[in-house]
Amino acid sequence: MLAKIIFCIAVCLATVAVILLALISPPSHKNPSSNNPSRPLLALSLYIQQPQIDQRIPNNVPVTLSGAGALVFRRTLTEGPTNTSRVIGRAQGFIIPIEHFARSEFNVIYLTFETSDYSGSISVQAKHVASKGEEELTVIGGTGSFAFARGVAVFAETDRRSSDLDATYHVKLQLRFPHGSRTIPG
């Protein structure tokens, strides 16, 4: 009988302790902007530069079109619109613009950053690419400083030479990160 009384008192005290902790505990210090998922946590603006082809080197082609129509490219990322702007990384990708592959999950552009502020890469899915002046693509992930990033990448042509392959693009990134995984200072 004494064991039952001790058990009931222990359960009642534990219940009272939980209720008191819930009522007396200070509120959590949440950032009000983290409750709004539509607001970007990080916005970046950068440029994908035109390839610089050295005519003295044979077969120096930074963009390759295979016979089946695949587009493989490597470009330079800069802070500003000119080729002399500070280089912050590179853009590379593999896109198959053929009709039945145009909406493929494999059409991804990788933006790799190598600066003192950012180190890592962002993966941008090029699922709905058309040849118009501005494209809004989906950020599907990242590594390093951009781990688990999601968001939008807006590609806009700023300077077009002879073809789409020689165009310079202005890229605006609006990135969101899962709660607690944001490692970028700022």
Side-chain angles (χ1 to χ4, degrees):
M1 177 75 172
L2 182 62
K4 289 182 183 180
I5 294 173
I6 293 173
F7 175 76
C8 289
I9 291 173
V11 169
C12 289
L13 288 175
T15 305
V16 169
V18 169
I19 292 172
L20 286 175
L21 283 174
L23 294 175
I24 299 173
S25 295
S28 63
H29 300 288
K30 289 186 179 181
N31 185 357
S33 66
S34 66
N35 295 334
N36 186 356
S38 66
R39 183 173 174 192
L41 293 178
L42 178 66
L44 295 174
S45 179
L46 50 106
Y47 292 84
I48 299 177
Q49 294 296 332
Q50 297 175 10
Q52 300 299 314
I53 300 174
D54 190 351
Q55 301 298 332
R56 298 173 289 171
I57 302 172
N59 300 326
N60 183 15
V61 181
V63 178
T64 306
L65 282 172
S66 72
L71 173 67
V72 181
F73 64 92
R74 289 186 178 180
R75 299 281 183 92
T76 303
L77 290 177
T78 62
E79 281 185 337
T82 63
N83 283 335
T84 57
S85 298
R86 184 174 82 122
V87 174
I88 58 173
R90 66 182 184 275
Q92 55 191 17
F94 179 85
I95 297 175
I96 305 172
I98 299 173
E99 184 178 325
H100 58 280
F101 285 109
R103 299 191 186 278
S104 172
E105 302 290 331
F106 299 110
N107 291 340
V108 176
I109 300 169
Y110 299 98
L111 305 176
T112 305
F113 294 84
E114 300 160 356
T115 67
S116 59
D117 294 333
Y118 308 113
S119 176
S121 66
I122 297 173
S123 302
V124 179
Q125 190 171 33
K127 208 172 185 183
H128 306 286
V129 176
S131 57
K132 55 183 179 177
E134 187 171 292
E135 294 289 333
E136 187 173 303
L137 305 176
T138 305
V139 175
I140 57 173
T143 63
S145 298
F146 305 99
F148 308 109
R150 294 284 190 260
V152 175
V154 178
F155 285 70
E157 281 186 37
T158 59
D159 183 24
R160 179 189 270 193
R161 299 288 166 106
S162 60
S163 70
D164 284 339
L165 302 179
D166 294 332
T168 297
Y169 292 93
H170 182 208
V171 181
K172 296 177 190 172
L173 296 169
Q174 296 179 345
L175 304 175
R176 292 184 309 276
F177 297 88
H179 180 68
S181 70
R182 185 167 180 236
T183 59
I184 296 175

